[in-house]
Every structure is written in C-alpha cells, then in structure tokens.
Coordinates of all heavy atoms in Angstrom, one line a residue:
M1024 N 32.3 0.1 9.3 CA 31.3 0.2 8.3 C 31.6 -0.8 7.3 O 32.7 -0.9 6.8 CB 31.4 1.6 7.7 CG 29.9 2.1 7.3 SD 29.8 3.9 7.1 CE 30.9 4.0 5.6
T1025 N 30.5 -1.6 6.9 CA 30.7 -2.5 5.9 C 30.6 -1.9 4.6 O 29.8 -1.1 4.3 CB 29.6 -3.6 5.9 OG1 29.0 -3.6 7.2 CG2 30.0 -5.0 5.5
K1026 N 31.4 -2.3 3.7 CA 31.4 -1.8 2.3 C 30.4 -2.5 1.5 O 30.2 -3.6 1.6 CB 32.8 -1.9 1.7 CG 33.8 -1.0 2.1 CD 35.0 -0.9 1.3 CE 36.0 0.2 1.8 NZ 37.3 0.2 0.9
Q1027 N 29.6 -1.8 0.8 CA 28.6 -2.2 0.0 C 28.8 -2.0 -1.4 O 29.2 -1.0 -1.9 CB 27.2 -1.6 0.5 CG 26.7 -2.3 1.8 CD 25.3 -2.0 1.7 OE1 24.8 -0.8 1.7 NE2 24.4 -3.0 2.0
N1028 N 28.4 -2.9 -2.2 CA 28.5 -2.9 -3.6 C 27.4 -1.9 -4.2 O 26.3 -1.7 -3.4 CB 27.9 -4.2 -4.2 CG 29.3 -5.1 -4.4 OD1 30.2 -4.8 -4.1 ND2 29.1 -6.2 -5.2
V1029 N 27.8 -1.1 -5.1 CA 26.9 -0.2 -5.8 C 26.8 -0.6 -7.2 O 27.8 -1.3 -7.7 CB 27.2 1.4 -5.6 CG1 27.3 1.7 -4.1 CG2 28.6 1.5 -6.4
R1030 N 25.8 -0.2 -7.8 CA 25.6 -0.7 -9.2 C 25.7 0.7 -10.1 O 25.1 1.7 -9.7 CB 24.4 -1.3 -9.5 CG 24.2 -1.8 -11.0 CD 23.1 -2.8 -11.1 NE 23.2 -4.1 -10.4 CZ 24.0 -5.1 -10.9 NH1 24.5 -5.0 -12.2 NH2 24.1 -6.2 -10.2
C1031 N 26.7 0.6 -11.0 CA 26.9 1.9 -11.9 C 25.6 2.1 -12.8 O 25.3 1.2 -13.4 CB 28.1 1.7 -12.7 SG 28.5 3.0 -13.7
D1032 N 25.2 3.3 -12.8 CA 24.0 3.8 -13.7 C 24.5 3.7 -15.2 O 23.7 3.4 -16.0 CB 23.6 5.2 -13.5 CG 22.9 5.3 -12.1 OD1 22.5 4.3 -11.6 OD2 22.9 6.4 -11.6
A1033 N 25.8 4.0 -15.4 CA 26.2 4.2 -16.8 C 26.5 2.8 -17.5 O 26.0 2.6 -18.5 CB 27.4 5.0 -16.7
C1034 N 27.2 1.9 -16.9 CA 27.5 0.7 -17.4 C 26.9 -0.6 -16.8 O 26.9 -1.7 -17.2 CB 29.0 0.5 -17.4 SG 29.8 0.1 -15.8
G1035 N 26.2 -0.4 -15.7 CA 25.4 -1.6 -15.1 C 26.3 -2.5 -14.2 O 25.8 -3.5 -13.7
C1036 N 27.6 -2.2 -14.0 CA 28.5 -3.1 -13.4 C 28.4 -2.9 -11.8 O 28.1 -1.7 -11.5 CB 29.9 -2.8 -13.7 SG 30.3 -3.5 -15.4
A1037 N 28.4 -3.9 -11.1 CA 28.5 -3.6 -9.6 C 30.0 -3.7 -9.1 O 30.8 -4.5 -9.7 CB 27.7 -4.8 -9.0
F1038 N 30.3 -2.7 -8.2 CA 31.6 -2.7 -7.7 C 31.6 -2.2 -6.3 O 30.5 -1.6 -5.8 CB 32.4 -1.8 -8.6 CG 31.9 -0.4 -8.7 CD1 32.4 0.7 -7.8 CD2 30.9 0.0 -9.5 CE1 32.0 2.0 -7.9 CE2 30.4 1.4 -9.6 CZ 31.0 2.3 -8.8
V1039 N 32.6 -2.2 -5.5 CA 32.8 -1.8 -4.2 C 33.4 -0.3 -4.2 O 34.5 -0.1 -4.8 CB 33.6 -2.7 -3.3 CG1 33.8 -2.1 -1.9 CG2 33.0 -3.9 -3.3
P1040 N 32.7 0.7 -3.9 CA 33.2 2.0 -4.1 C 34.4 2.3 -3.2 O 34.4 1.9 -2.0 CB 32.0 3.0 -3.8 CG 31.1 2.1 -2.9 CD 31.3 0.7 -3.3
E1041 N 35.4 3.0 -3.6 CA 36.5 3.4 -2.9 C 36.4 5.0 -2.8 O 36.8 5.7 -3.7 CB 37.9 3.1 -3.7 CG 38.2 1.6 -3.6 CD 38.7 1.1 -2.3 OE1 39.1 1.9 -1.5 OE2 38.5 -0.1 -2.1
P1042 N 36.0 5.4 -1.7 CA 35.7 6.8 -1.5 C 37.1 7.6 -1.5 O 38.0 7.3 -0.9 CB 35.1 7.0 -0.1 CG 34.7 5.7 0.3 CD 35.7 4.7 -0.4
K1043 N 37.1 8.7 -2.3 CA 38.2 9.6 -2.4 C 37.7 11.1 -2.1 O 36.6 11.4 -2.2 CB 38.8 9.6 -3.9 CG 39.4 8.3 -4.2 CD 39.7 8.2 -5.6 CE 38.8 7.4 -6.4 NZ 39.2 6.9 -7.7
T1044 N 38.7 11.9 -1.9 CA 38.3 13.4 -1.7 C 39.1 14.2 -2.5 O 40.2 13.9 -2.8 CB 38.3 13.8 -0.2 OG1 39.7 13.7 0.3 CG2 37.4 13.0 0.8
Q1045 N 38.6 15.3 -2.9 CA 39.4 16.3 -3.7 C 39.0 17.6 -3.2 O 37.9 18.0 -3.0 CB 39.0 16.1 -5.2 CG 39.8 16.9 -6.1 CD 39.3 16.7 -7.5 OE1 38.8 15.8 -7.9 NE2 39.6 17.9 -8.4
R1046 N 40.1 18.5 -3.1 CA 39.9 19.8 -2.7 C 40.1 20.8 -3.7 O 40.9 20.7 -4.5 CB 41.0 20.1 -1.6 CG 40.7 19.5 -0.2 CD 39.6 20.1 0.6 NE 39.9 21.3 1.3 CZ 40.4 21.4 2.4 NH1 40.6 20.3 3.1 NH2 40.7 22.5 3.1
E1047 N 39.1 21.8 -3.7 CA 39.3 23.0 -4.7 C 39.0 24.1 -3.8 O 37.9 24.5 -3.6 CB 38.2 22.8 -5.8 CG 38.8 21.9 -7.0 CD 37.7 21.6 -8.1 OE1 36.9 22.6 -8.4 OE2 37.6 20.6 -8.6
G1048 N 40.2 24.6 -3.4 CA 40.0 25.8 -2.5 C 39.4 25.3 -1.2 O 39.8 24.3 -0.7
E1049 N 38.3 26.0 -0.8 CA 37.7 25.7 0.4 C 36.6 24.5 0.2 O 36.3 23.9 1.3 CB 37.0 26.9 0.8 CG 36.2 26.8 2.2 CD 35.5 28.1 2.6 OE1 36.2 29.1 3.0 OE2 34.2 28.1 2.6
I1050 N 36.4 24.2 -1.0 CA 35.4 23.2 -1.2 C 36.0 21.8 -1.4 O 37.1 21.7 -1.9 CB 34.6 23.5 -2.6 CG1 33.9 24.9 -2.6 CG2 33.6 22.4 -2.9 CD1 32.9 24.9 -1.4
E1051 N 35.4 20.9 -0.6 CA 35.9 19.5 -0.7 C 34.8 18.6 -1.2 O 33.7 18.6 -0.7 CB 36.3 19.1 0.7 CG 37.0 17.8 0.8 CD 37.6 17.3 2.2 OE1 38.5 17.9 2.7 OE2 36.9 16.5 2.8
Y1052 N 35.3 17.9 -2.3 CA 34.3 16.9 -2.8 C 34.8 15.6 -2.4 O 35.7 15.2 -2.3 CB 34.5 16.8 -4.4 CG 34.1 18.1 -5.1 CD1 35.1 19.1 -5.2 CD2 32.9 18.3 -5.5 CE1 34.8 20.3 -5.9 CE2 32.5 19.6 -6.2 CZ 33.6 20.5 -6.3 OH 33.2 21.7 -7.0
S1053 N 33.7 14.8 -2.0 CA 33.8 13.4 -1.6 C 33.1 12.4 -2.8 O 32.0 12.7 -3.0 CB 33.3 13.2 -0.2 OG 33.3 11.9 0.1
F1054 N 33.9 11.7 -3.4 CA 33.4 10.9 -4.5 C 34.1 9.6 -4.7 O 34.9 9.2 -4.0 CB 33.6 11.7 -5.7 CG 35.1 11.8 -6.2 CD1 35.6 11.1 -7.2 CD2 36.0 12.8 -5.6 CE1 37.0 11.0 -7.6 CE2 37.3 12.8 -5.8 CZ 37.9 12.0 -6.7
F1055 N 33.5 8.8 -5.6 CA 34.1 7.6 -6.0 C 33.9 7.3 -7.4 O 32.9 7.9 -8.1 CB 33.6 6.3 -5.3 CG 32.2 6.1 -5.3 CD1 31.5 5.5 -6.3 CD2 31.3 6.7 -4.2 CE1 30.2 5.1 -6.3 CE2 29.9 6.5 -4.3 CZ 29.3 5.7 -5.4
N1056 N 34.6 6.5 -8.1 CA 34.4 6.2 -9.5 C 34.1 4.7 -9.7 O 34.5 3.9 -9.0 CB 36.0 6.5 -10.3 CG 36.2 8.0 -10.3 OD1 37.2 8.3 -9.5 ND2 35.7 8.7 -11.1
C1057 N 33.5 4.6 -10.8 CA 33.1 3.2 -11.2 C 34.3 2.5 -11.7 O 35.3 3.0 -12.3 CB 32.0 3.2 -12.5 SG 31.7 1.7 -13.2
D1058 N 34.5 1.2 -11.2 CA 35.7 0.5 -11.4 C 35.9 0.1 -13.0 O 37.0 0.0 -13.4 CB 35.7 -0.9 -10.6 CG 36.1 -0.9 -9.2 OD1 36.6 0.3 -8.9 OD2 36.1 -1.8 -8.6
Y1059 N 34.9 0.1 -13.6 CA 34.8 -0.4 -15.0 C 34.9 0.9 -15.9 O 35.6 0.8 -16.9 CB 33.5 -1.3 -15.2 CG 33.6 -2.4 -14.2 CD1 33.1 -2.5 -13.0 CD2 34.4 -3.6 -14.7 CE1 33.1 -3.5 -12.1 CE2 34.7 -4.7 -13.9 CZ 33.9 -4.7 -12.5 OH 34.1 -5.7 -11.7
C1060 N 33.9 1.8 -15.9 CA 33.9 2.8 -16.9 C 34.4 4.1 -16.3 O 34.5 5.0 -17.0 CB 32.3 3.0 -17.3 SG 31.3 3.8 -16.1
G1061 N 34.6 4.2 -15.0 CA 35.2 5.4 -14.5 C 34.2 6.6 -14.2 O 34.7 7.6 -13.7
K1062 N 33.1 6.3 -14.3 CA 32.0 7.3 -14.1 C 32.1 7.9 -12.6 O 32.3 7.0 -11.8 CB 30.6 6.8 -14.3 CG 29.5 7.8 -14.1 CD 28.1 7.4 -14.4 CE 27.0 8.1 -13.8 NZ 26.7 9.5 -14.3
A1063 N 32.2 9.1 -12.4 CA 32.3 9.7 -11.2 C 31.0 9.9 -10.4 O 30.1 10.3 -11.0 CB 33.1 11.0 -11.1
Y1064 N 31.0 9.4 -9.1 CA 29.8 9.6 -8.4 C 30.1 10.5 -7.2 O 31.0 10.1 -6.5 CB 29.2 8.3 -7.8 CG 28.6 7.5 -9.0 CD1 29.4 6.6 -9.8 CD2 27.4 7.6 -9.4 CE1 28.8 5.9 -10.7 CE2 26.8 6.8 -10.3 CZ 27.5 6.0 -11.0 OH 27.0 5.3 -12.1
I1065 N 29.5 11.7 -7.1 CA 29.8 12.5 -5.9 C 29.0 12.2 -4.8 O 27.7 12.2 -4.9 CB 29.8 14.0 -6.4 CG1 30.8 14.3 -7.5 CG2 30.0 14.9 -5.3 CD1 30.8 15.6 -8.0
V1066 N 29.7 11.8 -3.6 CA 28.8 11.6 -2.4 C 28.4 12.8 -1.7 O 27.2 12.8 -1.3 CB 29.8 10.9 -1.5 CG1 29.1 10.4 -0.3 CG2 30.4 9.6 -2.3
S1067 N 29.4 13.7 -1.5 CA 29.1 15.0 -0.9 C 30.0 16.2 -1.2 O 31.0 15.9 -1.7 CB 29.1 14.9 0.7 OG 30.3 14.5 1.1
V1068 N 29.5 17.3 -1.0 CA 30.4 18.6 -1.3 C 30.3 19.3 0.2 O 29.2 19.6 0.6 CB 29.7 19.4 -2.4 CG1 30.7 20.6 -2.7 CG2 29.5 18.6 -3.6
T1069 N 31.3 19.8 0.6 CA 31.3 20.4 1.9 C 32.3 21.7 1.6 O 33.2 21.8 0.9 CB 31.8 19.6 3.1 OG1 33.2 19.2 2.7 CG2 31.0 18.5 3.4
D1070 N 32.0 22.8 2.5 CA 32.9 24.0 2.6 C 33.4 23.9 4.0 O 33.0 23.1 4.8 CB 32.2 25.3 2.2 CG 31.0 25.5 3.0 OD1 30.8 24.9 4.0 OD2 30.3 26.6 2.7
A1071 N 34.3 24.8 4.2 CA 35.0 24.8 5.4 C 34.0 24.9 6.7 O 34.1 24.3 7.7 CB 36.0 25.9 5.6
A1072 N 32.9 25.8 6.5 CA 32.0 25.9 7.6 C 31.2 24.7 7.9 O 31.0 24.4 9.0 CB 31.1 27.2 7.3
L1073 N 30.9 24.1 6.7 CA 30.0 23.0 6.9 C 30.9 21.8 7.6 O 30.4 21.1 8.5 CB 29.4 22.5 5.5 CG 28.6 21.2 5.6 CD1 27.5 21.3 6.5 CD2 28.1 20.7 4.2
R1074 N 32.1 21.7 7.1 CA 32.9 20.6 7.8 C 33.1 20.9 9.3 O 33.1 19.9 10.1 CB 34.3 20.5 7.0 CG 34.3 19.9 5.7 CD 35.6 19.6 5.2 NE 36.5 20.7 5.0 CZ 36.4 21.5 4.0 NH1 35.6 21.2 3.0 NH2 37.3 22.5 3.9
R1075 N 33.2 22.1 9.6 CA 33.4 22.5 11.0 C 32.1 22.1 11.7 O 32.1 21.5 12.9 CB 33.5 24.0 11.2 CG 35.0 24.3 11.7 CD 35.1 25.8 12.2 NE 34.3 26.7 11.5 CZ 34.7 27.4 10.4 NH1 35.9 27.2 9.9 NH2 34.0 28.4 9.9
S1076 N 31.0 22.3 11.1 CA 29.6 22.1 11.8 C 29.4 20.6 11.9 O 28.9 20.2 12.8 CB 28.6 22.9 10.9 OG 27.3 22.9 11.6
I1077 N 29.8 19.8 10.9 CA 29.7 18.4 10.8 C 30.4 17.8 12.1 O 30.1 17.0 12.9 CB 30.1 17.8 9.6 CG1 29.1 18.2 8.5 CG2 30.2 16.2 9.6 CD1 29.5 17.8 7.0
R1078 N 31.8 18.4 12.2 CA 32.6 17.9 13.3 C 32.0 18.2 14.6 O 32.0 17.3 15.5 CB 33.9 18.6 13.2 CG 35.0 17.9 12.4 CD 36.5 18.3 12.8 NE 36.6 19.7 12.5 CZ 36.9 20.2 11.5 NH1 37.1 19.5 10.4 NH2 37.2 21.6 11.4
K1079 N 31.4 19.3 14.7 CA 30.7 19.8 16.0 C 29.5 18.8 16.3 O 29.4 18.4 17.4 CB 30.2 21.2 15.9 CG 29.7 21.8 17.1 CD 29.3 23.3 16.9 CE 28.3 23.8 17.8 NZ 27.7 25.0 17.6
Y1080 N 28.7 18.5 15.3 CA 27.7 17.7 15.4 C 28.2 16.3 15.9 O 27.6 15.6 16.8 CB 26.8 17.5 14.2 CG 25.8 16.4 14.2 CD1 24.8 16.6 15.1 CD2 26.0 15.2 13.6 CE1 23.7 15.5 15.1 CE2 25.1 14.1 13.7 CZ 24.1 14.3 14.4 OH 23.1 13.3 14.7
R1081 N 29.1 15.7 15.2 CA 29.6 14.4 15.5 C 30.3 14.3 16.9 O 29.9 13.3 17.7 CB 30.8 14.0 14.6 CG 30.2 13.6 13.3 CD 31.3 13.0 12.3 NE 30.8 12.7 11.0 CZ 31.5 12.8 9.9 NH1 32.7 13.1 9.9 NH2 30.9 12.6 8.6
S1082 N 31.0 15.4 17.4 CA 31.5 15.2 18.7 C 30.3 15.4 19.8 O 30.4 14.8 20.8 CB 32.6 16.1 18.9 OG 32.0 17.5 18.9
L1083 N 29.4 16.2 19.4 CA 28.2 16.4 20.3 C 27.4 15.0 20.4 O 27.2 14.6 21.5 CB 27.3 17.5 19.7 CG 26.3 18.0 20.7 CD1 27.0 18.7 21.9 CD2 25.4 19.1 20.0
A1084 N 27.2 14.4 19.3 CA 26.6 13.2 19.2 C 27.2 12.0 20.0 O 26.7 11.2 20.8 CB 26.2 12.6 17.9
E1085 N 28.6 12.0 19.8 CA 29.4 11.0 20.6 C 29.4 11.3 22.1 O 29.3 10.4 22.9 CB 30.8 11.3 20.0 CG 31.8 10.2 20.5 CD 31.5 8.9 20.0 OE1 30.9 8.7 19.0 OE2 31.8 7.8 20.8
K1086 N 29.4 12.6 22.4 CA 29.4 12.9 23.9 C 28.0 12.5 24.5 O 27.9 12.2 25.7 CB 29.6 14.5 24.0 CG 30.2 14.9 25.4 CD 30.6 16.4 25.3 CE 29.6 17.4 25.3 NZ 29.9 18.6 25.1
L1087 N 26.9 12.6 23.7 CA 25.6 12.4 24.3 C 25.2 11.0 24.1 O 24.1 10.6 24.6 CB 24.6 13.3 23.6 CG 24.9 14.9 23.7 CD1 23.9 15.7 22.9 CD2 24.6 15.3 25.1
K1088 N 25.9 10.2 23.5 CA 25.6 8.8 23.1 C 25.3 8.0 24.4 O 26.1 8.1 25.4 CB 26.7 8.2 22.4 CG 26.1 7.0 21.5 CD 27.2 6.5 20.4 CE 28.3 5.7 20.9 NZ 29.3 5.4 20.0
G1089 N 24.2 7.4 24.5 CA 23.7 6.5 25.5 C 23.2 7.3 26.8 O 22.9 6.7 27.8
K1090 N 23.2 8.6 26.7 CA 22.6 9.4 27.9 C 21.2 9.9 27.6 O 21.0 10.1 26.4 CB 23.6 10.6 28.0 CG 24.9 10.4 28.4 CD 25.7 11.6 28.8 CE 27.2 11.1 29.1 NZ 28.1 12.2 28.7
P1091 N 20.5 10.0 28.6 CA 19.1 10.5 28.6 C 19.3 12.0 28.1 O 20.1 12.7 28.7 CB 18.5 10.3 29.9 CG 19.6 10.2 30.8 CD 20.9 9.8 30.1
L1092 N 18.6 12.4 27.1 CA 18.7 13.7 26.6 C 17.5 14.6 27.0 O 16.4 14.1 27.0 CB 18.9 13.9 25.0 CG 19.9 13.0 24.4 CD1 20.0 13.2 22.9 CD2 21.3 13.4 25.1
S1093 N 17.7 15.8 27.4 CA 16.6 16.7 27.9 C 16.0 17.1 26.4 O 16.7 17.2 25.3 CB 17.1 17.9 28.5 OG 17.9 18.7 27.7
E1094 N 14.7 17.6 26.4 CA 14.1 18.1 25.2 C 14.9 19.2 24.5 O 15.1 19.2 23.3 CB 12.7 18.6 25.5 CG 11.7 17.5 25.2 CD 10.3 17.9 25.5 OE1 10.0 19.0 25.0 OE2 9.6 17.1 26.2
E1095 N 15.5 20.1 25.3 CA 16.3 21.2 24.9 C 17.5 20.7 24.2 O 17.8 21.2 23.0 CB 16.6 22.0 26.0 CG 17.1 23.4 25.5 CD 17.5 24.2 26.7 OE1 17.4 23.9 27.9 OE2 18.3 25.3 26.5
T1096 N 18.3 19.8 24.7 CA 19.5 19.2 24.0 C 19.1 18.6 22.8 O 19.8 18.7 21.8 CB 20.0 18.2 25.1 OG1 20.3 18.9 26.3 CG2 21.5 17.8 24.5
L1097 N 18.1 17.7 22.9 CA 17.6 17.0 21.6 C 17.3 17.9 20.5 O 17.6 17.8 19.4 CB 16.4 16.1 22.0 CG 16.1 15.0 21.0 CD1 17.2 14.1 20.9 CD2 14.8 14.3 21.6
R1098 N 16.6 19.1 20.9 CA 16.3 20.1 19.9 C 17.5 20.7 19.4 O 17.7 20.8 18.1 CB 15.4 21.1 20.6 CG 14.6 21.9 19.5 CD 13.7 22.9 20.2 NE 14.2 23.8 21.3 CZ 13.9 24.0 22.5 NH1 12.7 23.4 22.8 NH2 14.5 24.7 23.2
D1099 N 18.4 21.1 20.2 CA 19.6 21.6 19.7 C 20.4 20.8 18.8 O 21.0 21.3 17.7 CB 20.7 21.9 20.9 CG 20.1 23.2 21.8 OD1 19.2 23.8 21.4 OD2 20.7 23.4 22.9
V1100 N 20.6 19.5 19.1 CA 21.2 18.5 18.2 C 20.5 18.4 16.9 O 21.2 18.4 15.9 CB 21.3 17.2 19.0 CG1 21.9 16.1 18.0 CG2 22.2 17.3 20.1
T1101 N 19.3 18.3 17.0 CA 18.4 18.2 15.8 C 18.6 19.5 14.8 O 18.6 19.3 13.6 CB 16.9 17.9 16.1 OG1 16.8 16.9 17.0 CG2 16.0 17.7 14.9
V1102 N 18.6 20.6 15.5 CA 18.7 21.8 14.8 C 20.0 21.9 13.9 O 20.2 22.2 12.7 CB 18.6 23.0 15.7 CG1 19.0 24.3 15.1 CG2 17.1 23.3 16.1
L1103 N 21.0 21.5 14.7 CA 22.4 21.4 14.0 C 22.5 20.5 12.9 O 22.9 20.7 11.8 CB 23.4 21.1 15.2 CG 24.9 21.1 14.9 CD1 25.3 22.4 14.4 CD2 25.7 20.5 16.0
K1104 N 21.9 19.3 13.2 CA 21.9 18.2 12.1 C 21.1 18.6 11.0 O 21.5 18.6 9.8 CB 21.2 16.9 12.7 CG 21.3 15.8 11.8 CD 20.7 14.6 12.4 CE 20.7 13.5 11.5 NZ 20.0 12.3 12.0
D1105 N 19.9 19.2 11.2 CA 19.1 19.8 10.0 C 19.8 20.9 9.2 O 19.7 20.9 8.0 CB 17.7 20.3 10.6 CG 16.8 19.2 10.9 OD1 17.2 18.0 10.7 OD2 15.8 19.4 11.6
A1106 N 20.6 21.8 10.0 CA 21.2 22.9 9.3 C 22.3 22.3 8.3 O 22.5 22.8 7.3 CB 21.9 23.7 10.4
N1107 N 23.0 21.3 8.9 CA 24.1 20.7 8.1 C 23.5 19.9 6.8 O 24.1 20.0 5.9 CB 24.8 19.5 9.0 CG 25.6 20.2 10.0 OD1 25.9 21.3 10.1 ND2 26.2 19.4 11.0
T1108 N 22.4 19.2 7.1 CA 21.8 18.6 6.0 C 21.4 19.5 4.8 O 21.5 19.4 3.7 CB 20.5 17.8 6.4 OG1 21.0 16.9 7.5 CG2 19.9 16.9 5.4
K1109 N 20.8 20.7 5.3 CA 20.3 21.6 4.4 C 21.5 22.3 3.8 O 21.4 22.5 2.5 CB 19.6 22.8 5.3 CG 18.9 23.8 4.5 CD 17.7 24.4 5.3 CE 17.2 25.8 4.7 NZ 18.0 27.0 4.9
R1110 N 22.5 22.6 4.4 CA 23.7 23.3 3.8 C 24.4 22.3 2.8 O 24.7 22.8 1.7 CB 24.6 23.7 4.8 CG 25.9 24.4 4.4 CD 25.6 25.6 3.8 NE 26.8 26.4 3.2 CZ 26.7 27.1 2.2 NH1 25.5 27.4 1.5 NH2 27.8 27.8 1.8
A1111 N 24.5 21.0 3.1 CA 24.9 20.0 2.2 C 24.1 20.0 1.0 O 24.7 19.9 -0.1 CB 25.0 18.7 3.0
A1112 N 22.9 20.1 1.1 CA 22.0 20.0 -0.2 C 22.2 21.2 -0.9 O 22.2 21.2 -2.3 CB 20.5 19.9 0.3
E1113 N 22.3 22.4 -0.3 CA 22.7 23.7 -1.0 C 23.9 23.6 -1.8 O 24.1 23.9 -3.0 CB 22.7 24.8 -0.1 CG 21.3 25.3 0.4 CD 21.5 26.5 1.5 OE1 22.7 26.8 1.8 OE2 20.5 26.8 1.9
L1114 N 25.0 23.1 -1.2 CA 26.2 22.9 -1.9 C 26.2 21.9 -3.0 O 26.9 22.2 -3.9 CB 27.4 22.5 -0.8 CG 27.8 23.6 0.3 CD1 28.5 23.0 1.4 CD2 28.5 24.7 -0.3
R1115 N 25.5 21.0 -2.8 CA 25.3 20.0 -3.8 C 24.7 20.5 -5.0 O 25.3 20.4 -6.2 CB 24.4 18.8 -3.3 CG 25.0 17.5 -3.5 CD 23.9 16.4 -3.2 NE 23.9 15.5 -4.3 CZ 24.8 14.5 -4.4 NH1 25.6 14.4 -3.3 NH2 24.7 13.7 -5.3
Q1116 N 23.8 21.5 -4.8 CA 23.1 22.1 -6.0 C 23.9 23.1 -6.6 O 24.0 23.4 -7.8 CB 21.9 22.8 -5.3 CG 20.7 22.0 -5.0 CD 19.5 22.6 -5.7 OE1 19.1 23.7 -5.5 NE2 18.8 21.7 -6.5
M1117 N 24.8 23.8 -5.8 CA 25.7 24.8 -6.3 C 26.8 24.3 -7.1 O 27.4 24.8 -8.1 CB 26.3 25.8 -5.2 CG 25.3 26.7 -4.6 SD 25.8 27.2 -3.1 CE 27.2 28.1 -3.3
Y1118 N 27.3 23.1 -6.8 CA 28.6 22.6 -7.2 C 28.5 21.3 -8.1 O 29.4 21.0 -8.8 CB 29.6 22.4 -6.2 CG 30.1 23.7 -5.5 CD1 29.5 24.2 -4.3 CD2 31.0 24.4 -6.1 CE1 30.0 25.3 -3.8 CE2 31.5 25.7 -5.5 CZ 30.8 26.1 -4.4 OH 31.3 27.2 -3.8
I1119 N 27.3 20.7 -8.1 CA 27.3 19.6 -8.8 C 26.2 19.6 -10.0 O 25.1 20.1 -9.7 CB 26.9 18.3 -7.9 CG1 27.8 18.1 -6.9 CG2 26.8 17.1 -8.8 CD1 27.5 17.0 -5.9
R1120 N 26.6 19.5 -11.1 CA 25.4 19.4 -12.2 C 25.1 17.9 -12.4 O 25.9 17.2 -12.9 CB 26.0 19.9 -13.6 CG 25.9 21.4 -13.5 CD 26.8 22.1 -14.6 NE 27.6 23.1 -14.2 CZ 27.1 24.4 -14.0 NH1 25.8 24.6 -14.3 NH2 27.8 25.4 -13.7
E1121 N 24.0 17.6 -11.9 CA 23.5 16.3 -12.0 C 23.0 16.0 -13.5 O 22.5 16.9 -14.1 CB 22.4 15.9 -11.2 CG 22.5 16.4 -9.7 CD 23.1 15.2 -8.9 OE1 23.5 14.2 -9.4 OE2 23.0 15.4 -7.6
E1122 N 23.5 14.9 -14.0 CA 23.1 14.7 -15.3 C 21.8 14.1 -15.5 O 21.4 13.4 -14.8 CB 24.2 13.8 -16.1 CG 25.5 14.6 -16.4 CD 26.6 13.6 -16.5 OE1 26.3 12.6 -17.0 OE2 27.9 14.0 -16.3
Ligands
ZN2389 ZN1 30.4 2.1 -14.9

C-alpha cells in the first residue's frame, strides 16, 4: 500500500500519516497524529467481535479471490462486509466525539 500525504485540518500542514493503535479494554483505536501540531485523527474503532468479523471477511475474500462466485456466495460476502461497515460506524459514533 502506498503511503499518501494527508492534510491536517487544524494547521493545514501536509504529512505522511504513521498509523498507530491503542487498546482500551476490548476497544481498539487506530489513529495517527499530525506531524506538526499533534492533532489526532482516528481511523477506526473496533471491538473484539468486529475484529473477528473483519478477519473472517478478509480470509474469505482472500480465499475467493479470482474465483467465479455464485450469487449465494457473493451475497454472503456482501452481507458480512456490510455488517462490518455498519458496526464500525456504530462504534465510531459511540466512542468518537467528532469536533
Ligand atoms: Zn496539524
């Protein structure tokens, strides 16, 4: 994956984000800080169940890569992916106060 510059909303500086993770109990925050002013940007928030589900999705996607998928399989994969996306959004709302 190529690292891309991001621009900080707070100070306007462009920098290459260095992703870090922080655990608080079962909750894991993935974030990076602005190189210049230190503002924290949270990338994602996951709990144990979501991390398990994401792993499941990734291994499934890896296994199915390049293979013709039946409609049923495709639906299962999509359902799993959508559930993860939805849960990630819920956790974000629960644990992050956007300014
Ligand atoms: Zn900044």
Side-chain angles (χ1 to χ4, degrees):
M1024 209 164 70
T1025 333
K1026 282 191 174 179
Q1027 279 199 310
N1028 270 10
V1029 297
R1030 190 167 286 277
C1031 178
D1032 293 339
C1034 70
C1036 285
F1038 62 97
V1039 179
E1041 288 292 336
K1043 290 171 256 193
T1044 56
Q1045 187 183 333
R1046 284 290 276 273
E1047 275 175 34
E1049 185 181 282
I1050 301 299
E1051 189 176 285
Y1052 297 87
S1053 171
F1054 67 101
F1055 58 86
N1056 293 101
C1057 171
D1058 273 1
Y1059 298 92
C1060 72
K1062 182 178 161 70
Y1064 290 90
I1065 297 181
V1066 181
S1067 64
V1068 186
T1069 56
D1070 62 8
L1073 179 57
R1074 285 193 298 278
R1075 249 196 324 273
S1076 189
I1077 290 171
R1078 270 201 301 277
K1079 188 175 159 193
Y1080 170 75
R1081 281 186 187 151
S1082 68
L1083 197 61
E1085 190 60 34
K1086 207 168 70 185
L1087 298 171
K1088 206 161 75 179
K1090 290 181 187 155
L1092 303 183
S1093 68
E1094 263 179 48
E1095 198 188 345
T1096 308
L1097 196 58
R1098 197 176 53 228
D1099 288 350
V1100 174
T1101 307
V1102 164
L1103 185 59
K1104 188 180 174 185
D1105 288 350
N1107 288 350
T1108 307
K1109 187 160 168 275
R1110 184 63 183 147
E1113 278 173 10
L1114 288 170
R1115 233 189 132 82
Q1116 283 232 306
M1117 281 161 67
Y1118 291 99
I1119 304 176
R1120 277 170 224 279
E1121 310 269 13
E1122 286 164 28

